[in-house]
Amino acid sequence: MCLVITAGCTGSDGGAATSEDTSISIGYVLWDSEIASTNVLKQAFEKAGYTVEITAVDAAPLYQGLAAGDFDCTVSSWLPATHRTYMETYGDSIVMVGKNLEGAKIGLVVPAYVTIDSIEDLNDAKEQFDGTIVGIEPGAGIMSATETAIADYGLDYELTYSSSAGMASALRKAINEEKWVVVTGWTPHWMFARWDLKYLDDPKGVYGGEEYIATLARTGLEQDKPEAYAILERFHWTTDDMASVMLEIENGTPVDDAAKRWIDGHQDQVDAWIGNA
């Protein structure tokens, strides 16, 4: 199931979209982080005079769609580890535009009150965790990494499939009941602002080191829509920026409103993205 949102724009803010096709399509995965970044970028493009279509898909169809030219771009690529297999498969048919956020991370996350600190200790605490690691949707890079972690560490655990929202709900329930829970987690994410959490140490390096989030484009976008491509090249923000939008959404602010509040509060930064600085 895909969620498609289309928004028209007159370009009254004085944007760049004047000499080329003024439409742009953005694919993204339904992680809280990518909902935030994609909707902020959508409104930045609208300020530049574009009509924007955003489409939510799972990770595999995202890369397939980019390679096939079904989307113009995405700002949802987690590298070098999380989406490595997708880049190995489709990278030759996709353009790497650049990094849009640095300092990201993935791994297994537990509440801070849990008294173990390493993935290596999970088997000794199987009973407290009910032998379960709470995951997100099948096909997500972090799920593949967790399957590898279960094998490499010899964990006697079941990995359950859910969604980003489902994972957060399970975490919330366990914390409210002061129970032990281990989930597939990533930074930036609003849950680290909401609760006191920690990553379990990963001595085998299954989850890799520091991640970055990359902007990718379909082949030919730079030639077809050079001004739009230039906006993508300039789009970059921080983990704190992203977390602030995510937390607003989690606190009940509609996605469009949360993105607009951030845009309105960072006019100089947005102007730099769209070439109005």
Side-chain angles (χ1 to χ4, degrees), residues 17 22 38 50 70 77 95 106 108 129 207 231 239 250:
T22 59
T38 301
Y50 287 83
D70 297 334
S77 178
V95 176
I106 66 169
L108 294 183
F129 289 112
Y207 291 98
I231 292 173
T239 57
E250 163 58 18

Side-chain angles (χ1 to χ4, degrees), residues 37-189:
S37 60
T38 301
N39 279 274
V40 165
L41 180 62
K42 169 181 175 285
Q43 293 194 23
F45 266 118
E46 288 172 349
K47 288 180 73 69
Y50 287 83
T51 299
V52 185
E53 179 181 81
I54 63 174
T55 304
V57 293
D58 289 338
L62 175 66
Y63 285 84
Q64 292 166 356
L66 272 175
D70 297 334
F71 312 122
D72 286 320
C73 60
T74 187
V75 290
S76 301
S77 178
W78 281 60
L79 297 169
T82 308
H83 288 167
R84 176 188 293 124
T85 56
Y86 297 118
M87 288 300 288
E88 289 173 349
T89 302
Y90 300 105
D92 290 344
S93 302
I94 294 171
V95 176
M96 167 66 77
V97 179
K99 300 176 182 179
N100 64 66
L101 184 145
E102 298 176 82
K105 182 178 180 178
I106 66 169
L108 294 183
V109 172
V110 297
Y113 56 73
V114 167
T115 58
I116 68 166
D117 296 308
S118 174
I119 297 174
E120 291 182 318
D121 300 326
L122 278 171
N123 278 341
D124 293 335
K126 179 183 176 183
E127 184 175 341
Q128 290 98 313
F129 289 112
D130 292 329
T132 299
I133 298 170
V134 181
I136 57 172
E137 67 275 3
I142 194 172
M143 296 297 281
S144 298
T146 302
E147 291 167 356
T148 300
I150 289 172
D152 287 2
Y153 285 98
L155 301 180
D156 188 17
Y157 275 69
E158 177 186 359
L159 175 60
T160 63
Y161 294 88
S162 179
S163 63
S164 175
M167 175 275 293
S169 178
L171 182 60
R172 177 186 291 107
K173 183 175 187 296
I175 290 174
N176 287 343
E177 297 174 0
E178 297 185 355
K179 292 183 176 180
W180 284 30
V181 63
V182 55
V183 304
T184 56
W186 59 92
T187 308
H189 194 287

